[in-house]
Amino acid sequence: MSDHVYKKIELVGSSPKSIEAAVENALVRAKKTVRNMRWFEVTETRGHIQDGKIDHWQVGVTVGFTLED
Amino acid sequence: MSDHVYKKIELVGSSPKSIEAAVENALVRAKKTVRNMRWFEVTETRGHIQDGKIDHWQVGVTVGFTLED
Amino acid sequence: MSDHVYKKIELVGSSPKSIEAAVENALVRAKKTVRNMRWFEVTETRGHIQDGKIDHWQVGVTVGFTLED
Amino acid sequence: MSDHVYKKIELVGSSPKSIEAAVENALVRAKKTVRNMRWFEVTETRGHIQDGKIDHWQVGVTVGFTLED
Amino acid sequence: MSDHVYKKIELVGSSPKSIEAAVENALVRAKKTVRNMRWFEVTETRGHIQDGKIDHWQVGVTVGFTLED
Amino acid sequence: MSDHVYKKIELVGSSPKSIEAAVENALVRAKKTVRNMRWFEVTETRGHIQDGKIDHWQVGVTVGFTLED
Amino acid sequence: MSDHVYKKIELVGSSPKSIEAAVENALVRAKKTVRNMRWFEVTETRGHIQDGKIDHWQVGVTVGFTLED
Amino acid sequence: MSDHVYKKIELVGSSPKSIEAAVENALVRAKKTVRNMRWFEVTETRGHIQDGKIDHWQVGVTVGFTLED
Amino acid sequence: MSDHVYKKIELVGSSPKSIEAAVENALVRAKKTVRNMRWFEVTETRGHIQDGKIDHWQVGVTVGFTLED
Amino acid sequence: MSDHVYKKIELVGSSPKSIEAAVENALVRAKKTVRNMRWFEVTETRGHIQDGKIDHWQVGVTVGFTLED
Amino acid sequence: MSDHVYKKIELVGSSPKSIEAAVENALVRAKKTVRNMRWFEVTETRGHIQDGKIDHWQVGVTVGFTLED
Amino acid sequence: MSDHVYKKIELVGSSPKSIEAAVENALVRAKKTVRNMRWFEVTETRGHIQDGKIDHWQVGVTVGFTLED
């Protein structure tokens, strides 16, 4: 593990339900093209309002994954 | 939409339940006097502790709304 | 001037043309209800993209004005 | 206290005397129109210079107050 | 309350379930050795990924407690 | 729109003319390979100097685009 | 001095009087259990408001002290 | 170029016209006493308001120049 | 005033007495070589501890002054 | 050079030896797929500890490269 | 690993030799009283100058360790 | 030492070898014109890449020195 190189990508996931679900949705989508995802970090938590209520959350996520040799 | 002007206000919502509920409570209260709320951004996530347990969450929220002409 | 109290409000102005025009649009709208505006500070510079081109700029502006006695 | 909603406003108070007095002056002015102020936070400490000496301090203050139901 | 001195410590709590549960787990552990905890502040929200899914959340928490005389 | 996932990329655009033109140049180049660009955010504004004059602006831009399913 | 190791702790001191007094109160309390304190840094300046006036200042202080061998 | 030492100075340029012009004005003035200016970075974008309109822009600029041997 | 160019310098002033006195001491010293100082901004507030008490305050100050033509 | 567009990517390099070696390892790996790398910036310096000693350094690096036409 | 709680402490290590050695010195000292150290993060890199040369480096390090049950 | 006034200047030093050497090179150059340098702080760590390898490091350094009476 001491010689790994990681790459970080920045995503924004959405969900009408919760912050956690917005992060999960981002990872579900990323999994289609990115392998070896290791960790994530929430960078911003925002959302859209409709008729005075939270319509959906938008959560910025930085995802780190191992670059294979 | 390209000529809208928005105003941002800063609120702190509270809830014994969750971060999401604290944001919702802030919006419910804001809705009484603010129209055309469009988006929000979480600026800080804090809380109070009672007897070693979370008593309630306090979440800072910046809310953006359209200024009507 | 040494005993003035100022209030700051946060606006977002839009313009398809430039950053400067977006700030001006925010001030034009604010002038309708706010008197004695003294200075502003740009807090964020964003924009929307349509068909790969800048559709309009969205510029965050903090405006300071004198509170009259 | 667990279901309160607070609003934050941003002020700049001035005083030729001290940082503390500049904050106090901002609160004295705010009290005329804002009720239920609970806490404040100093966000920036600046000042003007005249003939090489401090003419007056200008201190940015965020003030939080309870929104009544 | 005006003459209290507080100390702040920094913890990282983990949970497979949610951000809130990760904070709670940190407090449960801290309660074993720290008395008079008063408030907390979330400083970072991260997590580990296993097989493309969130394995567990890791949430940084600053906890403030009263130093007794 | 509530279930979209976005990716953000970071570019630096250049222009001898203006900040706006530097952002536009970054987007023109990005459009060749990136579809569905939605918004951008200016992250830094720099430039090079030649003979005491601005030779060209270099503007950092984060661009967000929709990841298609 | 070139081989010293320091530890930093974070305190919050309170005083109805001034920012300086709040820092001093934090150090007076810390001195009971911490030896060899060398320097401090003010990290945040806040306060509580009662009846529209400053009730007491709350000042965050990071204190560095030498770890003895 | 690998053994150059640069010095950075901080200026504030003004212009009634644009952000770009305010930066240029700062460089024009700096050129009178500073040689070998290489790059700049915009650090803050502010301005003064007169009668509800932008009177002039004030732009903070860090300028880097080569220290000659 | 709309065509002035300012330069900013960074100082650290010291005083056993207060934050305000530390800033004043920095300005008194700067006045010997710098003319036309207009404003200052406190950038950090630190201090040294001797025998568990504040020995002196060290306050970082950015000072802006007009560059004459 | 005034019309170049650059892209920035974020990597994390590891090395048991030094900060410099961790950055080099990130670049060695990136070189396999990225051409025209021009500059880098260290964004965070972390590491893992084993038996009370540094096991390896983990250094965050933003790398900028020219996008060819 | 998903239910661990970590505590973070802040140290400053010194060394006349290098940044890496300053971090190592901090860890060597911490190891005397802290068990289960897992990771560290460099928070600031400073140093003292004697006769125009680096006398020693002073490096701020946040160290995370597992709190045992 | 309690009545000293310090000035801070910002330099960028370069070296093909290491971060430490880049700082040293900045100080060697500064020593030619600046007396009584006391401390430094690393503000940014960057570098240039040639053929996929680190060509040289560029390290930002703030240097503090005593202003003599």
PDB file of all heavy atoms in Angstrom, chain B residues 12-18 21-23 25-26 47-50 54-59, chain D residues 1-6 66:
ATOM      1  N   VAL B  12     -30.064  29.411  10.784  1.00  0.00           N
ATOM      2  CA  VAL B  12     -29.610  28.238  11.529  1.00  0.00           C
ATOM      3  C   VAL B  12     -30.859  27.481  11.956  1.00  0.00           C
ATOM      4  O   VAL B  12     -31.700  28.019  12.677  1.00  0.00           O
ATOM      5  CB  VAL B  12     -28.792  28.620  12.775  1.00  0.00           C
ATOM      6  CG1 VAL B  12     -28.356  27.361  13.526  1.00  0.00           C
ATOM      7  CG2 VAL B  12     -27.578  29.451  12.396  1.00  0.00           C
ATOM      8  N   GLY B  13     -30.996  26.253  11.473  1.00  0.00           N
ATOM      9  CA  GLY B  13     -32.135  25.420  11.854  1.00  0.00           C
ATOM     10  C   GLY B  13     -31.728  24.379  12.871  1.00  0.00           C
ATOM     11  O   GLY B  13     -30.563  23.967  12.901  1.00  0.00           O
ATOM     12  N   SER B  14     -32.670  23.956  13.691  1.00  0.00           N
ATOM     13  CA  SER B  14     -32.380  22.985  14.747  1.00  0.00           C
ATOM     14  C   SER B  14     -33.299  21.777  14.629  1.00  0.00           C
ATOM     15  O   SER B  14     -34.432  21.903  14.167  1.00  0.00           O
ATOM     16  CB  SER B  14     -32.596  23.624  16.123  1.00  0.00           C
ATOM     17  OG  SER B  14     -31.825  24.786  16.257  1.00  0.00           O
ATOM     18  N   SER B  15     -32.785  20.633  15.078  1.00  0.00           N
ATOM     19  CA  SER B  15     -33.625  19.432  15.139  1.00  0.00           C
ATOM     20  C   SER B  15     -32.946  18.394  16.012  1.00  0.00           C
ATOM     21  O   SER B  15     -31.739  18.190  15.922  1.00  0.00           O
ATOM     22  CB  SER B  15     -33.842  18.838  13.741  1.00  0.00           C
ATOM     23  OG  SER B  15     -34.318  17.513  13.844  1.00  0.00           O
ATOM     24  N   PRO B  16     -33.707  17.703  16.854  1.00  0.00           N
ATOM     25  CA  PRO B  16     -33.117  16.616  17.638  1.00  0.00           C
ATOM     26  C   PRO B  16     -32.855  15.373  16.779  1.00  0.00           C
ATOM     27  O   PRO B  16     -32.167  14.461  17.223  1.00  0.00           O
ATOM     28  CB  PRO B  16     -34.188  16.322  18.694  1.00  0.00           C
ATOM     29  CG  PRO B  16     -35.463  16.819  18.105  1.00  0.00           C
ATOM     30  CD  PRO B  16     -35.101  17.958  17.197  1.00  0.00           C
ATOM     31  N   LYS B  17     -33.359  15.379  15.546  1.00  0.00           N
ATOM     32  CA  LYS B  17     -33.377  14.145  14.764  1.00  0.00           C
ATOM     33  C   LYS B  17     -32.204  13.970  13.799  1.00  0.00           C
ATOM     34  O   LYS B  17     -31.479  12.996  13.852  1.00  0.00           O
ATOM     35  CB  LYS B  17     -34.694  14.111  13.974  1.00  0.00           C
ATOM     36  CG  LYS B  17     -35.182  12.702  13.630  1.00  0.00           C
ATOM     37  CD  LYS B  17     -36.513  12.761  12.893  1.00  0.00           C
ATOM     38  CE  LYS B  17     -36.330  12.381  11.440  1.00  0.00           C
ATOM     39  NZ  LYS B  17     -37.407  12.880  10.584  1.00  0.00           N
ATOM     40  N   SER B  18     -32.008  14.956  12.905  1.00  0.00           N
ATOM     41  CA  SER B  18     -30.993  14.763  11.868  1.00  0.00           C
ATOM     42  C   SER B  18     -30.588  16.093  11.262  1.00  0.00           C
ATOM     43  O   SER B  18     -31.237  17.121  11.469  1.00  0.00           O
ATOM     44  CB  SER B  18     -31.523  13.851  10.750  1.00  0.00           C
ATOM     45  OG  SER B  18     -32.543  14.521  10.029  1.00  0.00           O
ATOM     46  N   ALA B  21     -33.338  17.209   8.863  1.00  0.00           N
ATOM     47  CA  ALA B  21     -34.510  17.789   9.532  1.00  0.00           C
ATOM     48  C   ALA B  21     -34.221  19.207  10.021  1.00  0.00           C
ATOM     49  O   ALA B  21     -35.111  20.071  10.023  1.00  0.00           O
ATOM     50  CB  ALA B  21     -34.934  16.899  10.701  1.00  0.00           C
ATOM     51  N   ALA B  22     -32.978  19.459  10.436  1.00  0.00           N
ATOM     52  CA  ALA B  22     -32.620  20.805  10.878  1.00  0.00           C
ATOM     53  C   ALA B  22     -32.716  21.796   9.719  1.00  0.00           C
ATOM     54  O   ALA B  22     -33.177  22.936   9.885  1.00  0.00           O
ATOM     55  CB  ALA B  22     -31.213  20.814  11.483  1.00  0.00           C
ATOM     56  N   VAL B  23     -32.273  21.364   8.534  1.00  0.00           N
ATOM     57  CA  VAL B  23     -32.391  22.226   7.356  1.00  0.00           C
ATOM     58  C   VAL B  23     -33.870  22.456   7.023  1.00  0.00           C
ATOM     59  O   VAL B  23     -34.301  23.588   6.758  1.00  0.00           O
ATOM     60  CB  VAL B  23     -31.656  21.601   6.143  1.00  0.00           C
ATOM     61  CG1 VAL B  23     -31.904  22.425   4.886  1.00  0.00           C
ATOM     62  CG2 VAL B  23     -30.160  21.503   6.425  1.00  0.00           C
ATOM     63  N   ASN B  25     -36.443  22.384   8.987  1.00  0.00           N
ATOM     64  CA  ASN B  25     -37.053  23.295   9.961  1.00  0.00           C
ATOM     65  C   ASN B  25     -36.714  24.751   9.664  1.00  0.00           C
ATOM     66  O   ASN B  25     -37.555  25.642   9.837  1.00  0.00           O
ATOM     67  CB  ASN B  25     -36.620  22.923  11.380  1.00  0.00           C
ATOM     68  CG  ASN B  25     -37.273  21.633  11.845  1.00  0.00           C
ATOM     69  OD1 ASN B  25     -38.222  21.150  11.213  1.00  0.00           O
ATOM     70  ND2 ASN B  25     -36.789  21.069  12.939  1.00  0.00           N
ATOM     71  N   ALA B  26     -35.490  24.993   9.233  1.00  0.00           N
ATOM     72  CA  ALA B  26     -35.115  26.367   8.869  1.00  0.00           C
ATOM     73  C   ALA B  26     -35.955  26.857   7.687  1.00  0.00           C
ATOM     74  O   ALA B  26     -36.434  27.993   7.670  1.00  0.00           O
ATOM     75  CB  ALA B  26     -33.628  26.443   8.548  1.00  0.00           C
ATOM     76  N   GLY B  47     -23.905  21.051  16.981  1.00  0.00           N
ATOM     77  CA  GLY B  47     -24.969  20.507  17.807  1.00  0.00           C
ATOM     78  C   GLY B  47     -24.674  20.680  19.278  1.00  0.00           C
ATOM     79  O   GLY B  47     -23.553  21.009  19.669  1.00  0.00           O
ATOM     80  N   HIS B  48     -25.717  20.480  20.097  1.00  0.00           N
ATOM     81  CA  HIS B  48     -25.579  20.566  21.545  1.00  0.00           C
ATOM     82  C   HIS B  48     -25.627  19.162  22.147  1.00  0.00           C
ATOM     83  O   HIS B  48     -26.320  18.281  21.645  1.00  0.00           O
ATOM     84  CB  HIS B  48     -26.671  21.452  22.132  1.00  0.00           C
ATOM     85  CG  HIS B  48     -26.389  22.900  21.925  1.00  0.00           C
ATOM     86  ND1 HIS B  48     -26.004  23.744  22.942  1.00  0.00           N
ATOM     87  CD2 HIS B  48     -26.396  23.650  20.802  1.00  0.00           C
ATOM     88  CE1 HIS B  48     -25.806  24.959  22.456  1.00  0.00           C
ATOM     89  NE2 HIS B  48     -26.038  24.931  21.154  1.00  0.00           N
ATOM     90  N   ILE B  49     -24.875  18.992  23.242  1.00  0.00           N
ATOM     91  CA  ILE B  49     -24.761  17.690  23.904  1.00  0.00           C
ATOM     92  C   ILE B  49     -25.376  17.796  25.296  1.00  0.00           C
ATOM     93  O   ILE B  49     -25.115  18.760  26.029  1.00  0.00           O
ATOM     94  CB  ILE B  49     -23.280  17.275  24.020  1.00  0.00           C
ATOM     95  CG1 ILE B  49     -22.624  17.240  22.635  1.00  0.00           C
ATOM     96  CG2 ILE B  49     -23.154  15.926  24.712  1.00  0.00           C
ATOM     97  CD1 ILE B  49     -21.118  17.039  22.668  1.00  0.00           C
ATOM     98  N   GLN B  50     -26.195  16.826  25.646  1.00  0.00           N
ATOM     99  CA  GLN B  50     -26.798  16.764  26.981  1.00  0.00           C
ATOM    100  C   GLN B  50     -26.544  15.360  27.530  1.00  0.00           C
ATOM    101  O   GLN B  50     -26.893  14.365  26.877  1.00  0.00           O
ATOM    102  CB  GLN B  50     -28.310  17.035  26.868  1.00  0.00           C
ATOM    103  CG  GLN B  50     -28.960  17.397  28.164  1.00  0.00           C
ATOM    104  CD  GLN B  50     -28.703  18.863  28.562  1.00  0.00           C
ATOM    105  OE1 GLN B  50     -28.569  19.716  27.682  1.00  0.00           O
ATOM    106  NE2 GLN B  50     -28.616  19.137  29.855  1.00  0.00           N
ATOM    107  N   ILE B  54     -26.284  13.544  21.851  1.00  0.00           N
ATOM    108  CA  ILE B  54     -26.715  14.656  21.011  1.00  0.00           C
ATOM    109  C   ILE B  54     -28.106  15.092  21.440  1.00  0.00           C
ATOM    110  O   ILE B  54     -29.062  14.308  21.366  1.00  0.00           O
ATOM    111  CB  ILE B  54     -26.742  14.234  19.520  1.00  0.00           C
ATOM    112  CG1 ILE B  54     -25.340  13.818  19.056  1.00  0.00           C
ATOM    113  CG2 ILE B  54     -27.279  15.378  18.654  1.00  0.00           C
ATOM    114  CD1 ILE B  54     -25.320  13.183  17.680  1.00  0.00           C
ATOM    115  N   ASP B  55     -28.233  16.322  21.892  1.00  0.00           N
ATOM    116  CA  ASP B  55     -29.547  16.838  22.258  1.00  0.00           C
ATOM    117  C   ASP B  55     -30.266  17.366  21.019  1.00  0.00           C
ATOM    118  O   ASP B  55     -31.415  17.056  20.789  1.00  0.00           O
ATOM    119  CB  ASP B  55     -29.398  17.952  23.297  1.00  0.00           C
ATOM    120  CG  ASP B  55     -30.743  18.399  23.793  1.00  0.00           C
ATOM    121  OD1 ASP B  55     -31.402  17.599  24.488  1.00  0.00           O
ATOM    122  OD2 ASP B  55     -31.166  19.534  23.475  1.00  0.00           O
ATOM    123  N   HIS B  56     -29.578  18.176  20.237  1.00  0.00           N
ATOM    124  CA  HIS B  56     -30.146  18.603  18.964  1.00  0.00           C
ATOM    125  C   HIS B  56     -29.035  19.089  18.048  1.00  0.00           C
ATOM    126  O   HIS B  56     -27.970  19.499  18.492  1.00  0.00           O
ATOM    127  CB  HIS B  56     -31.216  19.694  19.147  1.00  0.00           C
ATOM    128  CG  HIS B  56     -30.722  20.950  19.783  1.00  0.00           C
ATOM    129  ND1 HIS B  56     -30.626  21.107  21.134  1.00  0.00           N
ATOM    130  CD2 HIS B  56     -30.303  22.125  19.244  1.00  0.00           C
ATOM    131  CE1 HIS B  56     -30.177  22.316  21.412  1.00  0.00           C
ATOM    132  NE2 HIS B  56     -29.959  22.949  20.286  1.00  0.00           N
ATOM    133  N   TRP B  57     -29.299  18.998  16.748  1.00  0.00           N
ATOM    134  CA  TRP B  57     -28.395  19.475  15.715  1.00  0.00           C
ATOM    135  C   TRP B  57     -28.684  20.936  15.428  1.00  0.00           C
ATOM    136  O   TRP B  57     -29.829  21.366  15.499  1.00  0.00           O
ATOM    137  CB  TRP B  57     -28.590  18.657  14.427  1.00  0.00           C
ATOM    138  CG  TRP B  57     -28.218  17.233  14.577  1.00  0.00           C
ATOM    139  CD1 TRP B  57     -28.985  16.234  15.097  1.00  0.00           C
ATOM    140  CD2 TRP B  57     -26.971  16.638  14.228  1.00  0.00           C
ATOM    141  NE1 TRP B  57     -28.294  15.045  15.088  1.00  0.00           N
ATOM    142  CE2 TRP B  57     -27.058  15.264  14.550  1.00  0.00           C
ATOM    143  CE3 TRP B  57     -25.788  17.115  13.670  1.00  0.00           C
ATOM    144  CZ2 TRP B  57     -25.991  14.391  14.337  1.00  0.00           C
ATOM    145  CZ3 TRP B  57     -24.746  16.246  13.444  1.00  0.00           C
ATOM    146  CH2 TRP B  57     -24.839  14.904  13.787  1.00  0.00           C
ATOM    147  N   GLN B  58     -27.650  21.685  15.095  1.00  0.00           N
ATOM    148  CA  GLN B  58     -27.812  23.078  14.663  1.00  0.00           C
ATOM    149  C   GLN B  58     -27.054  23.245  13.353  1.00  0.00           C
ATOM    150  O   GLN B  58     -25.829  23.150  13.332  1.00  0.00           O
ATOM    151  CB  GLN B  58     -27.259  24.036  15.708  1.00  0.00           C
ATOM    152  CG  GLN B  58     -28.187  24.242  16.890  1.00  0.00           C
ATOM    153  CD  GLN B  58     -27.783  25.451  17.709  1.00  0.00           C
ATOM    154  OE1 GLN B  58     -26.614  25.629  18.009  1.00  0.00           O
ATOM    155  NE2 GLN B  58     -28.734  26.272  18.083  1.00  0.00           N
ATOM    156  N   VAL B  59     -27.804  23.505  12.290  1.00  0.00           N
ATOM    157  CA  VAL B  59     -27.198  23.499  10.958  1.00  0.00           C
ATOM    158  C   VAL B  59     -27.347  24.866  10.307  1.00  0.00           C
ATOM    159  O   VAL B  59     -28.462  25.385  10.171  1.00  0.00           O
ATOM    160  CB  VAL B  59     -27.858  22.411  10.083  1.00  0.00           C
ATOM    161  CG1 VAL B  59     -27.200  22.381   8.712  1.00  0.00           C
ATOM    162  CG2 VAL B  59     -27.737  21.054  10.757  1.00  0.00           C
TER     163      VAL B  59
ATOM    164  N   MET D   1     -35.389  25.044  23.252  1.00  0.00           N
ATOM    165  CA  MET D   1     -34.278  25.602  22.473  1.00  0.00           C
ATOM    166  C   MET D   1     -33.939  24.716  21.276  1.00  0.00           C
ATOM    167  O   MET D   1     -33.334  25.145  20.317  1.00  0.00           O
ATOM    168  CB  MET D   1     -33.043  25.734  23.361  1.00  0.00           C
ATOM    169  CG  MET D   1     -31.982  26.652  22.813  1.00  0.00           C
ATOM    170  SD  MET D   1     -30.965  27.310  24.191  1.00  0.00           S
ATOM    171  CE  MET D   1     -29.339  27.228  23.396  1.00  0.00           C
ATOM    172  N   SER D   2     -34.388  23.436  21.338  1.00  0.00           N
ATOM    173  CA  SER D   2     -33.984  22.502  20.291  1.00  0.00           C
ATOM    174  C   SER D   2     -34.770  22.709  18.995  1.00  0.00           C
ATOM    175  O   SER D   2     -34.459  22.100  17.996  1.00  0.00           O
ATOM    176  CB  SER D   2     -34.159  21.054  20.766  1.00  0.00           C
ATOM    177  OG  SER D   2     -35.536  20.768  20.953  1.00  0.00           O
ATOM    178  N   ASP D   3     -35.825  23.544  19.018  1.00  0.00           N
ATOM    179  CA  ASP D   3     -36.564  23.759  17.769  1.00  0.00           C
ATOM    180  C   ASP D   3     -36.523  25.222  17.310  1.00  0.00           C
ATOM    181  O   ASP D   3     -37.331  25.636  16.494  1.00  0.00           O
ATOM    182  CB  ASP D   3     -38.024  23.298  17.928  1.00  0.00           C
ATOM    183  CG  ASP D   3     -38.707  23.998  19.088  1.00  0.00           C
ATOM    184  OD1 ASP D   3     -38.038  24.778  19.798  1.00  0.00           O
ATOM    185  OD2 ASP D   3     -39.906  23.768  19.277  1.00  0.00           O
ATOM    186  N   HIS D   4     -35.597  25.997  17.835  1.00  0.00           N
ATOM    187  CA  HIS D   4     -35.466  27.386  17.412  1.00  0.00           C
ATOM    188  C   HIS D   4     -34.876  27.473  16.010  1.00  0.00           C
ATOM    189  O   HIS D   4     -34.107  26.619  15.601  1.00  0.00           O
ATOM    190  CB  HIS D   4     -34.533  28.150  18.363  1.00  0.00           C
ATOM    191  CG  HIS D   4     -35.228  28.604  19.608  1.00  0.00           C
ATOM    192  ND1 HIS D   4     -36.595  28.748  19.706  1.00  0.00           N
ATOM    193  CD2 HIS D   4     -34.750  28.959  20.827  1.00  0.00           C
ATOM    194  CE1 HIS D   4     -36.921  29.164  20.906  1.00  0.00           C
ATOM    195  NE2 HIS D   4     -35.827  29.287  21.619  1.00  0.00           N
ATOM    196  N   VAL D   5     -35.279  28.530  15.327  1.00  0.00           N
ATOM    197  CA  VAL D   5     -34.622  28.888  14.075  1.00  0.00           C
ATOM    198  C   VAL D   5     -34.014  30.279  14.265  1.00  0.00           C
ATOM    199  O   VAL D   5     -34.666  31.188  14.795  1.00  0.00           O
ATOM    200  CB  VAL D   5     -35.610  28.889  12.889  1.00  0.00           C
ATOM    201  CG1 VAL D   5     -34.927  29.373  11.623  1.00  0.00           C
ATOM    202  CG2 VAL D   5     -36.164  27.481  12.668  1.00  0.00           C
ATOM    203  N   TYR D   6     -32.767  30.422  13.870  1.00  0.00           N
ATOM    204  CA  TYR D   6     -32.063  31.687  14.016  1.00  0.00           C
ATOM    205  C   TYR D   6     -31.785  32.290  12.641  1.00  0.00           C
ATOM    206  O   TYR D   6     -31.635  31.567  11.660  1.00  0.00           O
ATOM    207  CB  TYR D   6     -30.719  31.480  14.734  1.00  0.00           C
ATOM    208  CG  TYR D   6     -30.839  30.799  16.051  1.00  0.00           C
ATOM    209  CD1 TYR D   6     -30.824  29.410  16.135  1.00  0.00           C
ATOM    210  CD2 TYR D   6     -30.993  31.530  17.226  1.00  0.00           C
ATOM    211  CE1 TYR D   6     -30.947  28.755  17.356  1.00  0.00           C
ATOM    212  CE2 TYR D   6     -31.117  30.889  18.452  1.00  0.00           C
ATOM    213  CZ  TYR D   6     -31.098  29.503  18.505  1.00  0.00           C
ATOM    214  OH  TYR D   6     -31.235  28.874  19.712  1.00  0.00           O
ATOM    215  N   THR D  66     -33.035  34.941  17.371  1.00  0.00           N
ATOM    216  CA  THR D  66     -34.114  33.965  17.262  1.00  0.00           C
ATOM    217  C   THR D  66     -35.250  34.520  16.404  1.00  0.00           C
ATOM    218  O   THR D  66     -35.660  35.668  16.598  1.00  0.00           O
ATOM    219  CB  THR D  66     -34.695  33.672  18.658  1.00  0.00           C
ATOM    220  OG1 THR D  66     -33.622  33.612  19.583  1.00  0.00           O
ATOM    221  CG2 THR D  66     -35.468  32.372  18.668  1.00  0.00           C
TER     222      THR D  66
END
